[in-house]
Amino acid sequence: MKSILDKIFKLPVYIHILVVLALFCIIIYTVLKCVDSYTNHNQAVTVPDVKGLQIEDAVVFFEKNMLRYVVIDSIYSKQVTPGAIVELTPEANSKVKKNRIVYVTVNAKTEETAAIPEIQDISMRQAKALLNACGFPNVEYKYVEGEYRDLTIGVEYGGQMIETGTRVPLNAKLTLVIGDGNVLEQDADSISDGKTRIIGGDESWF
């Protein structure tokens, strides 16, 4: 072996360069083949279009295409069958590697609800912000006679005043009942008008 190496190193320089390049090409080729084998190169499969199917029915298509799935989220829509698949990631008909995980979003079987927070005796802006933070996007206002203007008195759902802690569908239309300040204004007008009150036959001015 030593004698062979001695002979190689006695050759002209360009021969050494060719040998190095040949070894470099062999190494690169070997590495690329190993990477292709590890990543299943050119072995893509198609994500099946299973939107609208129940998850138990879609499993057959995932297994047939050698894919795995994970349900990551749920939404609620009256336009979609409860429990049906509504979204896939990667999208349907995408080309992916075998054994790739497909992330699935399904339509909830029951409408999502949340509890009404304590919103009495705070400003209407605070009350609306609090309801929005709890997940209620549809909030309207209704003014009624109240001592302080823009102070929240309560919240209505379906025309009925509901108590704090009551669970309501998130898509429900809620109405914040707000004071209009008329009670306070009427009291102030009574004083400013200088109305009289008779006590024991004497007039007392206010």
Side-chain angles (χ1 to χ4, degrees):
M1 183 67 179
K2 184 176 180 181
S3 60
I4 295 175
L5 293 175
D6 290 338
K7 289 180 180 179
I8 291 176
F9 283 109
K10 289 179 181 179
L11 294 175
V13 174
Y14 68 89
I15 298 295
H16 291 276
I17 295 174
L18 291 176
V19 171
V20 171
L21 289 175
L23 291 174
F24 180 75
C25 291
I26 292 172
I27 293 171
I28 293 298
Y29 177 79
T30 303
V31 171
L32 290 176
K33 291 297 290 183
C34 291
V35 171
D36 286 347
S37 177
Y38 179 75
T39 60
N40 295 321
H41 186 62
N42 293 327
Q43 295 183 21
V45 295
T46 302
V47 176
D49 188 357
V50 292
K51 289 183 179 179
L53 296 181
Q54 298 290 314
I55 194 68
E56 54 268 22
D57 297 326
V59 171
V60 178
F61 295 94
F62 287 130
E63 292 178 348
K64 182 179 179 180
N65 288 273
M66 291 174 284
L67 295 170
R68 295 174 291 162
Y69 75 93
V70 174
V71 178
I72 59 168
D73 197 8
S74 64
I75 61 173
Y76 181 79
S77 173
K78 294 181 180 179
Q79 285 71 44
V80 181
T81 304
I85 295 173
V86 295
E87 188 176 337
L88 300 170
T89 304
E91 295 182 354
N93 300 316
S94 300
K95 296 293 184 180
V96 298
K97 304 292 184 185
K98 292 179 181 179
N99 294 317
R100 170 69 184 270
I101 296 177
V102 178
Y103 299 98
V104 179
T105 300
V106 299
N107 191 36
K109 295 186 177 181
T110 58
E111 190 169 0
E112 190 174 359
T113 64
I116 295 295
E118 176 61 62
I119 49 89
Q120 289 183 339
D121 298 329
I122 62 176
S123 72
M124 67 177 185
R125 289 185 179 181
Q126 289 177 308
K128 185 178 186 299
L130 188 54
L131 288 171
N132 290 159
C134 290
F136 298 105
N138 304 315
V139 181
E140 300 176 346
Y141 301 106
K142 181 176 77 172
Y143 281 94
V144 299
E145 187 177 274
E147 186 175 1
Y148 300 103
R149 184 172 179 80
D150 294 335
L151 191 70
T152 304
I153 297 172
V155 60
E156 288 185 354
Y157 170 55
Q160 300 293 325
M161 194 76 79
I162 54 178
E163 296 180 358
T164 299
T166 303
R167 298 197 69 85
V168 176
L170 291 181
N171 289 327
K173 291 183 178 181
L174 302 178
T175 302
L176 278 175
V177 182
I178 310 297
D180 59 7
N182 283 340
V183 173
L184 185 62
E185 290 173 2
Q186 289 172 3
D187 290 344
D189 290 342
S190 299
I191 297 173
S192 62
D193 287 346
K195 291 185 178 180
T196 62
R197 183 177 57 181
I198 299 175
I199 302 177
D202 296 330
E203 275 191 349
S204 298
W205 291 84
F206 292 89

